[in-house]
Amino acid sequence: MTAPAIDAIQPLTSLTEDELLLRNGVREFAHAQVRPLVREMDEHAKFSKTLLGQLFDLGVMGIEIPESEGGAGGTFFHSVLVVEELSRVDPSVGVLVDVQNTLVINAILRWASPEMKKRLLPRLADGTVGAYALSEAVSGSDAFALQSRARQDGDHFVLQGRKLWITNANEADLFIVFATINPEAGYRGITAFLVERGMPGFSVGKKEDKLGIRASSTCELILEDCRVPASNVIGEVGKGYKVAIETLNEGRIGIGAQMLGLAAGALEHTVAYTRERKQFGKTIADFQGVQFQLARAATDVEAARLLVYNAARLRDLGKPFLTEAAMCKIFASEVAERVASLAVNLFGGNGFVKEYPVEKLYRDAKIGQIYEGTSNLQLQTIAKQLLS
Ligand SMILES: Cc1cc2nc3c(=O)[nH]c(=O)nc-3n(C[C@H](O)[C@H](O)[C@H](O)COP(=O)(O)OP(=O)(O)OC[C@H]3O[C@@H](n4cnc5c(N)ncnc54)[C@H](O)[C@@H]3O)c2cc1C
């Protein structure tokens, strides 16, 4: 057996020069520009317009868009690093960037026609936010039971129905909307359409008042005889299920990254606090009981990072990653909840009030186990592979 060259094997968490530059740049940005806004955006449940513009200027709203189309020409792993770093400071900012890159741009890069790509990618890289609308009141986990209808009328489709829980809906101008051309055909009727704000018959409805990630908008979409040009079909008519399945498989690695960032942020705050807070004449970090809790949390964060990075690197290498993506999402979201909960405990009374950052992170953590496939659905994916 020949041993591989020692530098041919890289630890998962070792970053290339490019990756390191990006991570450090986004980390600095998050501290300087995002942190001062976190509390206000959470309180008012409103994303700062200035911050949105700055995210475009930073180049993180079009990470995988080729440079020739105005994007950063980066990798999926770059998106994961960006989402992790932003979520360390504010998971609401993390998810806005995540949906833009890992769902919307990803779907367009992979499924849209060359004409559509030319039309959309430069916009998405330069000021236009996207949203991804699959869920409805009756179809969440059972996403392909959706009821929104699309009827062909000459060179247009006419869309009718309501979408629920749509992230970025307030900020977005472009919406990937899934509807069926034939409910009897089951998943084979589902088609992906590009709907633009301002199209007749399209409107953004009620905004949800949420437990966490409050600055991230979550709204209903209303389609009332909404006329969409047939040239706005993404992929093929009746093949929208493929667009949905494949983008969501990748998107859930992004949610893993969001939850990883949240956990890392909560741990960072907790280490700092426990080194400051004194009880019984010592800092609370001097107590072995506290040290062991912090050590366990750090181990959890590292394990989540390995799962998330591995899934993202597999995806960039074009290797199978379905099970790894499900594992990274369920694990990272559970770690986020555990570490944020410990953070609240170790902040004591200060963990329970809005003046300190961990109360918000505890609320934000819960969503990781719900969107882009609940934890039970991730377990279903893992078990299916295990037992096949
Ligand atoms: C803040 C937020 C943002 C969102 N953003 C978007 C978005 O941008 N775009 C979009 O399309 N959707 C979005 N969603 C919707 C989200 O993806 C769904 O809420 C999620 O898929 C769960 O669907 P549901 O809410 O209908 O729950 P249900 O599917 O009704 O699930 C309820 C419970 O039943 C369990 N369950 C269901 N089926 C099974 C099964 N077969 N086996 C075992 N357990 C099962 C689930 O695990 C869950 O615990 C968002 C939701 C929220 C809350």
Side-chain angles (χ1 to χ4, degrees):
M1 200 189 293
T2 337
I6 203 75
D7 59 356
I9 303 169
Q10 290 296 329
L12 269 175
T13 50
S14 85
L15 303 180
T16 65
E17 219 168 288
D18 268 9
E19 290 165 351
L20 206 57
L21 259 172
L22 176 70
R23 192 201 63 185
N24 293 347
V26 177
R27 186 171 288 181
E28 242 170 66
F29 172 86
H31 280 276
Q33 308 299 337
V34 181
R35 191 167 310 283
L37 301 173
V38 175
R39 180 142 179 225
E40 189 190 331
M41 292 200 302
D42 180 59
E43 260 173 32
H44 295 109
K46 203 162 171 32
F47 204 95
S48 154
K49 270 202 176 131
T50 311
L51 178 60
L52 190 54
Q54 289 172 328
L55 290 168
F56 278 100
D57 294 343
L58 188 65
V60 298
M61 293 297 275
I63 296 169
E64 283 190 89
I65 295 180
E67 286 177 8
S68 57
E69 305 291 346
T75 61
F76 187 82
F77 187 74
H78 287 153
S79 301
V80 155
L81 282 180
V82 169
V83 172
E84 177 190 348
E85 285 307 319
L86 293 172
S87 303
R88 223 174 154 119
V89 173
D90 192 343
S92 292
V93 180
V95 74
L96 179 133
V97 171
D98 176 62
V99 168
Q100 172 89 351
N101 286 288
T102 74
L103 293 182
V104 177
I105 290 170
N106 193 6
I108 289 167
L109 279 173
R110 195 193 266 244
W111 299 97
S113 64
E115 175 278 319
M116 235 178 163
K117 283 187 196 165
K118 273 225 126 17
R119 184 155 49 97
L120 301 174
L121 293 175
R123 285 178 64 192
L124 284 161
D126 186 24
T128 301
V129 177
Y132 186 91
L134 178 64
S135 304
E136 298 183 3
V138 293
S139 57
S141 300
D142 188 10
F144 297 152
L146 59 82
Q147 290 184 351
S148 289
R149 293 291 306 269
R151 169 176 59 80
Q152 186 141 23
D153 181 20
D155 57 0
H156 278 70
F157 280 87
V158 181
L159 270 53
Q160 192 74 34
R162 276 168 190 247
K163 293 290 178 185
L164 204 61
W165 310 118
I166 308 310
T167 300
N168 291 357
N170 249 4
E171 296 77 19
D173 283 311
L174 298 178
F175 298 80
I176 296 179
V177 173
F178 294 86
T180 178
I181 50 154
N182 176 12
E184 268 95 71
Y187 70 88
R188 288 198 184 86
I190 291 167
T191 306
F193 297 90
L194 184 93
V195 178
E196 296 215 26
R197 191 186 284 272
M199 280 182 169
F202 173 76
S203 56
V204 175
K206 179 173 82 92
K207 180 166 165 248
E208 303 297 339
D209 187 6
K210 306 196 298 288
L211 169 73
I213 56 162
R214 291 176 55 78
S216 158
S217 64
T218 312
C219 310
E220 185 184 26
L221 304 184
I222 302 165
L223 303 149
E224 282 172 342
D225 288 334
C226 172
R227 289 181 69 78
V228 180
S231 58
N232 274 19
V233 170
I234 300 173
E236 289 174 49
V237 173
K239 295 269 174 70
Y241 68 93
K242 276 190 132 193
V243 178
I245 291 174
E246 294 196 10
T247 43
L248 285 169
N249 285 344
E250 299 181 348
R252 64 183 54 118
I253 306 174
I255 301 304
Q258 183 203 22
M259 290 295 124
L260 162 64
L262 189 160
L267 181 60
E268 197 175 38
H269 289 303
T270 312
V271 168
Y273 186 85
T274 55
R275 295 172 89 163
E276 288 285 318
R277 172 72 178 164
K278 286 195 172 139
Q279 288 292 282
F280 302 99
K282 295 173 169 182
T283 70
I284 55 176
D286 283 329
F287 299 118
Q288 195 182 54
V290 171
Q291 289 172 6
F292 282 7
Q293 287 177 301
L294 293 173
R296 201 174 281 283
T299 307
D300 260 353
V301 171
E302 182 68 4
R305 183 169 287 120
L306 292 172
L307 285 175
V308 171
Y309 285 14
N310 188 46
R313 292 212 190 271
L314 284 172
R315 187 277 191 189
D316 275 336
L317 287 169
K319 299 198 169 171
F321 63 87
L322 181 65
T323 311
E324 289 79 0
M327 287 175 170
C328 91
K329 180 178 183 276
I330 189 171
F331 190 76
S333 57
E334 288 175 1
V335 165
E337 190 179 29
R338 259 198 315 272
V339 175
S341 175
L342 174 69
V344 171
N345 292 350
L346 289 179
F347 270 68
N350 287 335
F352 207 64
V353 293
K354 291 188 191 297
E355 203 179 322
Y356 290 83
V358 295
E359 173 268 352
K360 173 183 180 292
L361 293 176
Y362 182 61
R363 286 186 283 110
D364 288 351
K366 198 67 216 174
I367 191 59
Q369 295 173 57
I370 298 171
Y371 58 15
E372 294 199 33
T374 64
S375 289
N376 276 357
L377 271 283
Q378 306 309 321
L379 291 174
Q380 208 178 65
T381 301
I382 299 163
K384 199 167 158 190
Q385 200 278 336
L386 197 62
L387 301 169
S388 66

